[in-house]
Amino acid sequence: MRTARALPLALTGTAVALAALTACAGSSSPGSRAHTGQPTAATSAAPPSHPAPRPASAVAALKQVQARLAQVHSVREDSSDASGALSWREKGVSDWSHGTVDDTVVTFTDSVDKAVLQQFGVSHSLETRSVAGTSYVRIGPQEAAKNGGRTWARSAGGVGALAMLQTVPQQGDAGPAGIVSKLLAVPGVHSVGTETVSGVRADHYTGTLTAKPPTRDADGKLVMAPDTLHQDMQAANLTREKLDVWVSVEGPDKGLPVQESLYGTAPHHSSDTVSILAHYSGFGLKVHVVAPPAKDCVDAFALR
């Protein structure tokens, strides 16, 4: 689940890249890789099979979705993200029932600093895991050979790999619950109608969040907005966010988001544009993520 998504602007070093890249994956929750060994993640309960009838108003409907999301603690995600000229894709699974654990593949699709990825011995994608507050990135065979045959770079302390990049600040909570919460705070949130998304019929809700104009105190210092939503937008230099969520009306994920999108813009600065398009499925699935053995790990800051 995207509890702390970081949006990279520039890749600036091995340890920095590691932490930034795992945060992108580690807080989100995408792809579905099975691993052997002793699982360290909890098993999430399946979502209730009989959600309440769909309410008439958008706000009432989204509150119902919010309540449903509070009852599930795992999901499969496939998302396409972008920040300025940099774009990437995340596929994996996450469980956040007892702290976030996830297994994700992050693939950079455009404008990535190849030299940084080469430090991990990979060309364009990274396999990442997050377990018990520690993030891991698999390194390629040539780099592993330089580091005593160890195949994983490790970043402890709960700092995800993308978080140590030079980044655009987190836009509040991401993940299925985050965008729903944001939409509930948007004046004028409304229903667009029922559409088909990835072969699933879903109710589409949309709204636009506009940042409050910045103010300064008597000394000329910027005064942050009083609420978290607008603080996040100010910190990211975004003035507008368009938010959309599609809620399934059929199948096992009925009443839960099947797709969400966020598109943030800043005036006169196209490089500050941020976008997230996430597809969700399998709410309540069993997630088993195994931390790599300690003997196979090298500290990210010690990579040669």
Side-chain angles (χ1 to χ4, degrees):
M1 176 181 182
R2 297 170 191 269
T3 55
R5 168 185 296 277
L7 301 171
L9 288 178
L11 300 173
T12 56
T14 301
V16 172
L18 169 66
L21 292 169
T22 1
C24 189
S27 49
S28 241
S29 59
S32 55
R33 287 175 173 262
H35 296 283
T36 59
Q38 188 65 32
T40 57
T43 297
S44 297
S49 58
H50 300 293
R54 291 151 61 192
S57 77
V59 171
L62 290 171
K63 285 184 176 179
Q64 193 172 95
V65 175
Q66 190 177 52
R68 287 268 287 144
L69 284 167
Q71 298 174 329
V72 295
H73 303 95
S74 62
V75 73
R76 178 180 295 108
E77 180 183 348
D78 183 347
S79 72
S80 298
D81 304 352
S83 176
L86 181 62
S87 60
W88 66 98
R89 182 178 181 180
E90 298 178 40
K91 292 186 67 176
V93 292
S94 284
D95 184 305
W96 55 94
S97 55
H98 299 288
T100 300
V101 296
D102 66 66
D103 188 1
T104 301
V105 174
V106 182
T107 302
F108 289 88
T109 54
D110 191 24
S111 300
V112 65
D113 185 343
K114 300 296 184 182
V116 173
L117 291 181
Q118 287 169 4
Q119 293 180 57
F120 293 105
V122 297
S123 58
H124 66 284
S125 65
L126 291 171
E127 180 184 350
T128 72
R129 298 184 195 174
S130 179
V131 180
T134 300
S135 296
Y136 304 86
V137 171
R138 187 187 291 275
I139 58 180
Q142 291 185 345
E143 294 306 310
K146 298 177 186 178
N147 291 276
R150 290 169 289 184
T151 55
W152 291 88
R154 176 179 56 206
S155 173
V159 179
L162 272 223
M164 290 178 66
L165 277 172
Q166 182 179 355
T167 64
V168 173
Q170 166 65 31
Q171 294 301 292
D173 277 342
I179 289 184
V180 171
S181 297
K182 277 193 167 188
L183 271 174
L184 283 169
V186 173
V189 59
H190 62 278
S191 171
V192 177
T194 302
E195 302 170 355
T196 300
V197 177
S198 300
V200 177
R201 291 177 61 250
D203 289 337
H204 181 186
Y205 302 94
T206 189
T208 299
L209 185 64
T210 302
K212 296 176 181 178
T215 59
R216 297 184 180 276
D217 61 18
D219 296 324
K221 295 180 180 179
L222 185 67
V223 176
M224 296 301 291
D227 59 282
T228 302
L229 285 178
H230 289 90
Q231 286 177 10
D232 291 336
M233 294 183 70
Q234 283 184 3
N237 195 30
L238 297 177
T239 57
R240 183 177 180 270
E241 285 185 346
K242 186 178 186 301
L243 305 161
D244 294 86
V245 61
W246 289 260
V247 180
S248 175
V249 299
E250 61 185 9
D253 293 330
K254 183 177 180 180
L256 292 162
V258 64
Q259 178 175 282
E260 293 181 337
S261 72
L262 179 153
Y263 186 78
T265 56
H268 314 303
H269 295 285
S270 59
S271 63
D272 290 337
T273 298
V274 171
S275 66
I276 300 169
L277 178 62
H279 299 270
Y280 300 110
S281 62
F283 282 94
L285 82 169
K286 295 180 180 180
V287 175
H288 298 283
V289 181
V290 179
K295 64 182 179 63
D296 291 338
C297 297
V298 57
D299 191 283
F301 294 91
L303 280 177
R304 298 175 182 177

